[in-house]
């Protein structure tokens, strides 16, 4: 299994420091390796967890990446560093106030190939868009969110916490293969805020 190189992750985290994506009340805790409250029942995830997820996602330069549950926009900006300017990163978030916050933070992050949009009610991801090479989900799903599998290119990768376990899901590479035949592997136990799917 390919993983994002540690060096690329180091560069991304250095370029997009966590404190730029936090409310003033918790900026002083940016260096703490734990989740931080960003309001509206949402959190900015633990840095160690974010790094582990990005490593599993194995983002390559020039790819299209979907960030589901963008929250403060930090993960969206980190993904943009990994794709480089030849890529496209779209974060989706359902809380309007967080969409405004994250859009401003990502807009100031020096990665104009990345953006944050408000998620459509009752719609998971961006099914009307061209398919993505990678999909990252930063909220806990009860079951594998199968609509996201169909938003991947053949051979694309989804990383998502499901029922307490981190899953890496690879869509079959054959263009005519059923996305439901994806390869699923488990990578440890985690806690996240719930993924809202309706």
């Amino acid at each position: 299994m390919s993983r994002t190189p540690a060096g690329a992750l180091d560069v991304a985290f250095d370029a997009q420091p966590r404190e730029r994506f936090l409310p003033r009340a918790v900026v002083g805790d940016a260096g703490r390796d734990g989740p931080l409250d960003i309001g509206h029942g949402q959190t900015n995830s633990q840095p160690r967890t974010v790094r582990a997820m990005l490593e599993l996602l194995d983002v390559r330069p020039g790819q299209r990446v979907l960030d589901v549950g963008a929250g403060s926009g930090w993960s969206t900006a980190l993904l943009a560093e990994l794709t480089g300017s030849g890529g496209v990163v779209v974060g989706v978030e359902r809380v309007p106030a967080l969409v405004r916050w994250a859009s401003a933070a990502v807009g100031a992050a020096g990665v104009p190939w990345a953006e944050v949009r408000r998620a459509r009610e009752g719609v998971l991801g961006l099914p009307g868009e061209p398919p993505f090479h990678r999909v990252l989900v930063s909220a806990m799903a009860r079951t594998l969110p199968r609509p996201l599998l169909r938003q991947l290119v053949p051979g694309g990768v989804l990383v998502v916490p499901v029922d307490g376990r981190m899953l890496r899901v690879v869509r079959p590479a054959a263009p005519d293969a059923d996305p439901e035949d994806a390869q699923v592997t488990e990578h440890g136990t985690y806690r996240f805020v719930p993924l809202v799917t309706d």
Side-chain angles (χ1 to χ4, degrees):
M1 180 187 74
S2 297
R3 293 177 182 258
T4 306
L9 289 172
D10 291 341
V11 170
F13 276 81
D14 287 346
Q16 302 295 341
R18 189 187 195 192
E19 55 265 27
R20 294 183 188 169
F21 300 86
L22 295 174
R24 185 173 301 170
V26 295
V27 164
D29 293 323
R32 183 166 65 85
D33 190 31
L36 297 175
D37 184 10
I38 57 173
H40 312 280
Q42 305 299 308
T43 61
N44 177 280
S45 297
Q46 180 179 15
R48 181 173 41 177
T49 298
V50 175
R51 187 180 179 100
M53 294 176 77
L54 294 179
E55 183 179 8
L56 289 172
L57 199 62
D58 188 28
V59 176
R60 309 290 180 86
Q63 290 186 328
R64 286 179 51 82
V65 182
L66 175 63
D67 185 19
V68 177
S72 67
W74 188 37
S75 55
T76 305
L78 290 168
L79 288 165
E81 291 293 337
L82 295 172
T83 69
S85 60
V88 173
V89 180
V90 184
V92 291
E93 170 57 50
R94 59 181 296 273
V95 180
L98 290 179
V99 174
R100 292 190 292 272
W101 172 275
S103 293
V106 172
V111 285
W113 54 94
E115 63 174 316
V116 176
R117 304 180 194 171
R118 184 173 179 182
R120 288 184 287 158
E121 188 171 350
V123 177
L124 187 56
L126 292 171
E129 298 280 327
F132 295 90
H133 298 93
R134 301 288 187 267
V135 176
L136 179 70
V137 182
S138 298
M140 185 71 71
R142 292 189 297 271
T143 60
L144 182 63
R146 298 191 179 279
L148 294 177
L149 287 176
R150 299 187 179 276
Q151 296 174 44
L152 285 169
V153 300
V157 178
L158 163 68
V159 171
V160 54
V162 176
D163 193 27
R165 300 160 297 144
M166 189 64 68
L167 303 186
R168 185 178 196 266
V169 187
V170 182
R171 178 171 171 162
D176 57 348
D178 186 343
E180 299 290 326
D181 292 333
Q183 177 189 28
V184 180
T185 54
E186 295 185 16
H187 301 271
T189 57
Y190 291 86
R191 295 178 64 184
F192 280 84
V193 297
L195 176 65
V196 177
T197 57
D198 51 32

